[in-house]
Amino acid sequence: MKLTFKERRLAYALSKDDDIAKAATEADMTIEQAQAKLAEPEFFELVEADRQAAVTADMETAERIIARYANIANNDPGEFFLGGAAGYEPKPVEMLTREQRQCIKKITHSQHGITIEFHCPMRANDKLAEAKRIFIETDTGETTDEKAARIRQLLRGINDATTGITTH
């Protein structure tokens, strides 16, 4: 069984305030309906199951986003082309994996040929650093070269941790 919309609203309203009358009003229920619902033991089990499902969905979404940023950060543009000594041409989209297609920002066709624009791997690295809570302090007294070396080290650690997500 799942919570109905009104039951979910009732549970949410009660999580903010213990006033049953206010919660019933917010859930578009009478006070008697709200009290009857609260008297059902399975109601609280459903509320907890609903909360757990929401937390799990949020975690899966976050992991998918992190995996996508890792994929973009580790993107090898050479995997998108066919050819050799005679020249190169883009692979047909059907030959690209889902992960490879996610790296493409835009494809334009013009009289001069095809232009493929990829999502920025440095921006993806920045977003990964943000997601993994790696913050870089600005007033550490380091020289510019030292900061650049430390940033490269941090990003290398993220890339190393996400190598299972790269495309082949």
Side-chain angles (χ1 to χ4, degrees):
M1 267 178 79
K2 287 182 144 185
L3 290 175
T4 66
F5 178 74
K6 287 184 178 184
E7 292 169 338
R8 192 173 284 119
R9 296 240 356 219
L10 177 66
Y12 177 72
L14 287 171
S15 72
K16 295 188 304 181
D17 189 353
D18 288 338
D19 186 350
I20 294 175
K22 277 169 76 177
T25 303
E26 267 191 59
D28 197 25
M29 294 178 156
T30 65
I31 294 174
E32 292 77 23
Q33 288 173 320
Q35 288 173 331
K37 190 52 65 184
L38 293 171
E40 296 174 10
E42 63 270 2
F43 175 72
F44 293 101
E45 292 170 13
L46 289 173
V47 168
E48 182 58 24
D50 194 61
R51 190 187 68 73
Q52 285 293 336
V55 167
T56 301
D58 285 347
M59 286 172 49
E60 288 171 358
T61 301
E63 288 303 315
R64 264 196 341 266
I65 290 169
I66 288 171
R68 183 169 183 209
Y69 281 133
N71 182 47
I72 291 168
N74 293 309
N75 177 32
D76 177 8
E79 295 178 355
F80 292 81
F81 299 95
L82 296 171
Y88 292 93
E89 63 181 52
K91 283 183 182 178
V93 174
E94 302 81 39
M95 289 180 66
L96 300 176
T97 64
R98 179 175 186 260
E99 290 80 16
Q100 288 173 321
R101 289 190 307 269
Q102 288 178 344
C103 295
I104 298 172
K105 185 175 185 178
K106 179 171 63 171
I107 300 175
T108 54
H109 300 271
S110 70
Q111 63 188 16
H112 304 292
I114 298 172
T115 303
I116 300 174
E117 185 178 338
F118 295 97
H119 288 287
C120 178
M122 288 307 294
R123 180 163 161 67
N125 270 327
D126 290 345
K127 290 294 186 180
L128 276 170
E130 215 175 282
K132 298 285 187 178
R133 301 195 189 294
I134 298 172
F135 298 105
I136 298 161
E137 301 162 15
T138 56
D139 60 347
T140 59
E142 295 173 310
T143 66
T144 305
D145 290 338
E146 290 169 335
K147 280 184 185 178
R150 187 162 58 91
I151 291 169
R152 279 193 299 277
Q153 181 78 22
L154 290 171
L155 294 176
R156 206 172 296 123
I158 291 172
N159 287 335
D160 292 346
T162 58
T163 53
I165 302 170
T166 59
T167 58
H168 298 283

